[in-house]
Amino acid sequence: MSRKPTMEDVKNLAGVSISTVSRVINGTRKVSPDKTEAVNKAIEKLGYKPNELARSLVMKRSNTLGIILDDIGYGYMAQYLRGIDEIGKMYKYDILLYSTFGDFEIQKKAVDFLSSKQVEGIIVISEKINSEILYLIREHEIPYIILDQFYSPEEFKTITIDYKQAMYDMTKYIIDNNHKKIAYVRERSSSYSAESKETGYQECVDDFNLESWVFNTPENSIEAGYNFLEKNIKKFRDYNITAIVADSDALAIGMLHYFYDNNISIPEEFSITGFGNTEISELFKPSLSSVRMPYYDIGAIAVRMLVKILRESEEFEKSINLKHEIMERETVRKLKK
Amino acid sequence: MSRKPTMEDVKNLAGVSISTVSRVINGTRKVSPDKTEAVNKAIEKLGYKPNELARSLVMKRSNTLGIILDDIGYGYMAQYLRGIDEIGKMYKYDILLYSTFGDFEIQKKAVDFLSSKQVEGIIVISEKINSEILYLIREHEIPYIILDQFYSPEEFKTITIDYKQAMYDMTKYIIDNNHKKIAYVRERSSSYSAESKETGYQECVDDFNLESWVFNTPENSIEAGYNFLEKNIKKFRDYNITAIVADSDALAIGMLHYFYDNNISIPEEFSITGFGNTEISELFKPSLSSVRMPYYDIGAIAVRMLVKILRESEEFEKSINLKHEIMERETVRKLKK
DNA sequence: TTGAAAGCGATACCAT
DNA sequence: ATGGTATCGCTTTCAA
């Protein structure tokens, strides 16, 4: 059980000073070829690996980014993390994760934890983060970026998509397929993204002067979508609604489950769309038309921005909008004119 | 831009020695009530938080566990991580993740990285890890546990399920539904888990003396399942096969896609089962009967074991088998006797 | 009970 | 180009 070799060991074996060892490792200064070789040989022989903890301590740079997120299990989280991870590695930053399950107390803990781990920056990914948390991060004087859909991009700088335009485009896609009577189904909540999406929908149906109904569900989940239709399918039929625009994939999948269980063929009897382009939207049959959020890119850019702030101590001046994409799949039927 | 407060600052404000501050924080020794209060007040006032890096350096304990995984995006990975995260927090261990995409060179890097970050233990989660990586971890003298399905539980200690028994049970479930002609579809590969599963299947159909066919696909994916049926559906019909046991959910979902696209009703025309109980198996319609792997528990127990090894420098003596569960859902039809 | 000082494993400044 | 040494923020031994 031999102790891990340190620079001290390398120094002794190579017969040089400890400073020289450091120089060889970091290439910070010129070192004569023979000493360089001696050091490298010693390193090789000992299997020496620098202790990053000690290095971070003296350099006051942990090379670590902290991520505060609700739950790693959310389908899109992995995509965010891939983007963050990949670009993070590119800039030699490591990622420290902290799951909070959306709990305020745990979120506070997360900030303290990451701070004590000396992370250089923090990315907050949450469906709804209490603004107090953001102030707490500020107190710690750690640069941060939030990836959130609750506040407006003016209020808190973020990287996002143009929700209004995205839902406008989705609605337009429905209309282009000649649907005249459309229902919009959303969770009853007042997040910025939810409001924007509804506005986009509304503007589009107004622009085309179509009949439209807006419905609320108590929450955003598959069950909520299912229960919603159970209660309202009759209305849909009475109103001759032919297309349903859901504000999330979960709601849409819930409705598809209802349709399946009740032998209602999709898209023959109803067309339906989701939002988010989660994995299930692609794998479900019929596959669900949805709006793709560029999660990977959002994560990637978040890191880029953070690194920029860190390196150049610039401010994050304005929110960035990335492009969304309408994924046309099997749940939308083209009606005759 | 005030520097983060250190113990030095606390010491000055509280008018005690730095050792006393340390004692108050860690409760390592008795400190008089008045000094204790003075220190606590100073800490409060300054908003002091210990620098974990410095602490780890001197204590030679990073309180960190490293996880080497293929890709955070795999559906089941989140479940593993939840178990790891939760139990890790319980024991005050933090988690450092490293995605390798199954690449050997990156895996080597991961080990070096985690080692330099002074992680106390490593959990490797991979579909197929090169044994060289394990030797590398050993060289670093870091205790580790692998969660892998490639090697036998005798060869490398792990936490797993009894694959053979699981597939036996799944086959039995099919047989209990009176299916007499069954097909087994698996990826052509020779991992331990794949072999065990096939053995379990085989033993079961043999025990009941049933007609059975085993098929191979070039890989384990949704596409492979789809393409497989495209080529073989005729045989299935010719042989009057009524049930398909797939060795993974992915293969089964691929086949379900094929059935959907070709208007073959499930489970009326064919019964089919998967393995893994991935999220999609539950959300798909018809929902897929599958074998549940207790991912969360596997992750949780892995941490427990690792902590035990760390604390008591015990060895990890033998692999642990957790219970699987047959999830009976909509893709299996009960035939008349 | 308390404080002074050594040391954890590195970097970087200041000499030489 | 090279070496000696202070320092990073903390814990812990050793005296007092």
Side-chain angles (χ1 to χ4, degrees):
Chain A
M1 200 62 169
S2 54
R3 191 179 41 81
K4 270 194 186 159
T6 70
M7 280 182 72
E8 179 74 17
D9 303 317
V10 176
K11 165 199 116 151
N12 290 142
L13 190 65
V16 298
S17 82
I18 205 163
S19 332
T20 300
V21 177
S22 173
R23 283 172 197 134
V24 171
I25 290 171
N26 299 298
T28 36
R29 253 186 173 62
K30 281 234 107 26
V31 175
S32 68
D34 49 335
K35 301 224 175 200
T36 303
E37 205 192 313
V39 170
N40 282 328
K41 264 195 186 140
I43 288 177
E44 174 79 11
K45 184 151 182 225
L46 294 168
Y48 167 80
K49 295 270 157 21
N51 181 329
E52 288 297 332
L53 257 38
R55 177 179 269 172
S56 296
L57 181 61
V58 47
M59 305 239 290
K60 289 170 166 293
R61 296 207 46 214
S62 62
N63 275 293
T64 306
L65 261 25
I67 317 290
I68 297 178
L69 44 75
D70 288 345
D71 184 354
I72 199 163
Y74 292 171
Y76 55 80
M77 207 56 89
Q79 300 180 54
Y80 272 134
L81 291 178
R82 277 192 198 143
I84 291 172
D85 190 66
E86 195 143 323
I87 306 304
K89 278 209 182 88
M90 219 159 91
Y91 287 107
K92 308 282 180 204
Y93 277 99
D94 323 318
I95 303 306
L96 210 47
L97 251 47
Y98 207 106
S99 304
T100 65
F101 307 101
D103 182 286
F104 180 55
E105 290 304 319
I106 305 184
Q107 286 171 342
K108 285 202 285 192
K109 245 197 203 158
V111 176
D112 282 348
F113 168 79
L114 293 175
S115 169
S116 72
K117 285 285 182 177
Q118 315 301 113
V119 299
E120 297 181 36
I122 291 180
I123 296 176
V124 182
I125 310 175
S126 178
E127 307 233 319
K128 172 177 180 355
I129 186 103
N130 192 310
S131 57
E132 240 185 85
I133 293 299
L134 305 177
Y135 299 134
L136 185 57
I137 301 179
R138 261 184 216 164
E139 259 176 50
H140 283 269
E141 298 181 14
I142 303 175
Y144 69 93
I145 287 183
I146 53 171
L147 268 24
D148 174 287
Q149 314 178 356
F150 191 75
Y151 299 104
S152 89
E154 271 88 49
E155 200 170 352
F156 287 104
K157 306 300 166 258
T158 186
I159 294 142
T160 182
I161 64 165
D162 184 337
Y163 287 103
K164 194 178 102 182
Q165 186 63 45
M167 196 52 105
Y168 188 102
D169 292 348
M170 182 50 112
T171 310
K172 178 76 168 39
Y173 159 61
I174 292 282
I175 293 174
D176 286 346
N177 279 282
N178 302 316
H179 291 269
K180 308 289 184 202
K181 297 181 183 233
I182 310 178
Y184 187 77
V185 182
R186 57 167 284 196
E187 180 197 7
R188 185 194 343 281
S189 87
S190 57
S191 72
Y192 169 79
S193 61
E195 296 303 329
S196 308
K197 282 188 265 185
E198 186 179 336
T199 306
Y201 167 78
Q202 205 56 258
E203 287 185 5
C204 190
V205 289
D206 288 352
D207 283 355
F208 289 87
N209 231 320
L210 294 184
E211 263 193 289
S212 147
W213 292 264
V214 173
F215 296 90
N216 285 291
T217 63
E219 52 166 39
N220 174 26
S221 67
I222 294 177
E223 293 68 40
Y226 195 98
N227 296 334
F228 166 76
L229 264 196
E230 209 157 30
K231 284 201 203 90
N232 293 282
I233 185 71
K234 196 167 171 315
K235 276 191 207 158
F236 276 53
R237 292 220 147 106
D238 290 347
Y239 301 163
N240 291 313
I241 286 168
T242 63
I244 306 169
V245 177
D247 125 303
S248 77
D249 281 356
L251 248 25
I253 293 290
M255 292 193 255
L256 283 170
H257 280 186
Y258 177 85
F259 289 137
Y260 178 91
D261 288 350
N262 293 277
N263 285 308
I264 298 172
S265 0
I266 304 301
E268 288 74 18
E269 298 190 49
F270 291 99
S271 289
I272 180 167
T273 63
F275 199 106
N277 194 41
T278 46
E279 198 186 18
I280 179 72
S281 70
E282 195 176 348
L283 295 183
F284 201 84
K285 280 293 185 175
S287 57
L288 176 67
S289 296
S290 189
V291 176
R292 193 179 84 86
M293 289 271 299
Y295 293 112
Y296 177 93
D297 299 295
I298 292 178
I301 293 190
V303 174
R304 285 224 162 79
M305 292 305 300
L306 208 44
V307 170
K308 198 167 180 184
I309 295 171
L310 256 29
R311 293 241 227 273
E312 309 167 20
S313 46
E314 256 180 40
E315 276 303 305
F316 186 18
E317 285 173 5
K318 63 178 205 293
S319 288
I320 297 176
N321 269 341
L322 263 36
K323 279 225 285 280
H324 57 268
E325 187 181 354
I326 305 298
M327 308 301 288
E328 307 186 2
R329 292 201 269 249
E330 299 170 342
T331 50
V332 175
R333 178 178 168 214
K334 185 158 193 100
L335 259 34
K336 297 207 195 75
K337 278 235 171 168
Chain B
M1 200 62 169
S2 55
R3 189 180 41 80
K4 271 193 187 162
T6 70
M7 279 181 73
E8 180 75 16
D9 302 317
V10 176
K11 163 199 118 154
N12 289 142
L13 191 63
V16 298
S17 81
I18 205 164
S19 339
T20 301
V21 177
S22 173
R23 280 166 198 141
V24 171
I25 291 171
N26 300 299
T28 36
R29 254 188 173 61
K30 281 236 112 17
V31 174
S32 67
D34 49 335
K35 301 224 173 201
T36 303
E37 204 192 314
V39 170
N40 282 328
K41 262 196 188 140
I43 287 177
E44 173 79 10
K45 185 152 180 227
L46 293 168
Y48 166 80
K49 295 270 160 18
N51 180 330
E52 288 297 333
L53 255 41
R55 176 178 270 172
S56 296
L57 180 60
V58 47
M59 305 239 288
K60 290 167 166 291
R61 296 206 45 214
S62 63
N63 276 293
T64 305
L65 262 27
I67 318 289
I68 297 179
L69 43 75
D70 288 344
D71 184 355
I72 197 162
Y74 293 170
Y76 55 81
M77 207 56 89
Q79 300 180 55
Y80 272 133
L81 291 178
R82 277 193 197 142
I84 292 172
D85 190 66
E86 195 144 325
I87 307 303
K89 278 208 182 84
M90 219 159 89
Y91 288 106
K92 308 281 180 206
Y93 276 99
D94 321 320
I95 302 305
L96 210 48
L97 252 45
Y98 206 105
S99 304
T100 64
F101 307 100
D103 182 285
F104 180 55
E105 290 304 319
I106 305 184
Q107 287 171 343
K108 285 203 285 191
K109 244 198 204 160
V111 176
D112 282 348
F113 169 79
L114 294 174
S115 169
S116 72
K117 284 286 182 178
Q118 313 301 115
V119 299
E120 298 181 35
I122 290 180
I123 296 177
V124 182
I125 310 176
S126 177
E127 306 234 318
K128 171 174 180 1
I129 185 103
N130 193 310
S131 57
E132 237 183 88
I133 294 299
L134 305 177
Y135 299 134
L136 185 57
I137 300 179
R138 259 181 219 165
E139 257 175 50
H140 283 269
E141 299 182 12
I142 303 174
Y144 68 94
I145 288 183
I146 52 171
L147 269 24
D148 175 286
Q149 313 176 358
F150 191 76
Y151 300 104
S152 89
E154 272 88 49
E155 200 169 352
F156 287 105
K157 307 300 167 252
T158 186
I159 294 142
T160 182
I161 64 164
D162 183 336
Y163 287 103
K164 195 178 105 183
Q165 186 62 44
M167 196 53 104
Y168 189 101
D169 292 349
M170 181 50 113
T171 310
K172 179 73 167 43
Y173 158 62
I174 293 281
I175 293 175
D176 286 346
N177 279 283
N178 302 315
H179 292 268
K180 309 288 184 204
K181 297 182 183 234
I182 309 178
Y184 187 76
V185 181
R186 58 167 285 194
E187 180 197 8
R188 184 194 344 279
S189 86
S190 57
S191 72
Y192 169 79
S193 61
E195 295 304 328
S196 308
K197 283 188 265 184
E198 185 179 337
T199 306
Y201 166 79
Q202 206 55 260
E203 287 187 4
C204 191
V205 289
D206 288 352
D207 283 355
F208 289 87
N209 231 321
L210 294 184
E211 264 192 286
S212 148
W213 292 263
V214 173
F215 296 90
N216 284 292
T217 63
E219 52 165 38
N220 174 26
S221 66
I222 293 177
E223 293 69 41
Y226 194 100
N227 298 334
F228 167 75
L229 266 195
E230 209 158 30
K231 284 203 205 88
N232 293 282
I233 185 70
K234 195 165 174 312
K235 277 190 206 158
F236 276 54
R237 291 221 148 104
D238 290 347
Y239 300 164
N240 290 314
I241 286 168
T242 62
I244 306 168
V245 177
D247 126 300
S248 76
D249 281 356
L251 247 25
I253 293 289
M255 292 193 254
L256 283 170
H257 280 185
Y258 177 85
F259 289 137
Y260 178 91
D261 288 350
N262 293 277
N263 285 308
I264 298 172
S265 358
I266 304 301
E268 288 73 17
E269 297 191 48
F270 291 99
S271 289
I272 181 167
T273 63
F275 199 107
N277 193 42
T278 46
E279 199 186 19
I280 179 75
S281 70
E282 196 175 348
L283 296 184
F284 201 83
K285 280 293 186 176
S287 57
L288 175 67
S289 296
S290 189
V291 175
R292 192 179 85 86
M293 288 271 300
Y295 292 111
Y296 177 94
D297 299 301
I298 292 178
I301 292 189
V303 174
R304 284 224 162 80
M305 294 303 301
L306 207 45
V307 170
K308 199 169 178 182
I309 295 172
L310 256 28
R311 293 239 227 274
E312 310 167 20
S313 46
E314 258 179 39
E315 275 304 304
F316 186 20
E317 287 174 4
K318 63 179 203 295
S319 288
I320 297 176
N321 267 342
L322 263 35
K323 278 225 283 283
H324 57 268
E325 187 182 353
I326 305 297
M327 308 300 290
E328 307 186 3
R329 290 201 270 249
E330 299 170 344
T331 49
V332 175
R333 176 177 168 215
K334 186 160 193 98
L335 258 33
K336 295 205 198 77
K337 277 231 172 170

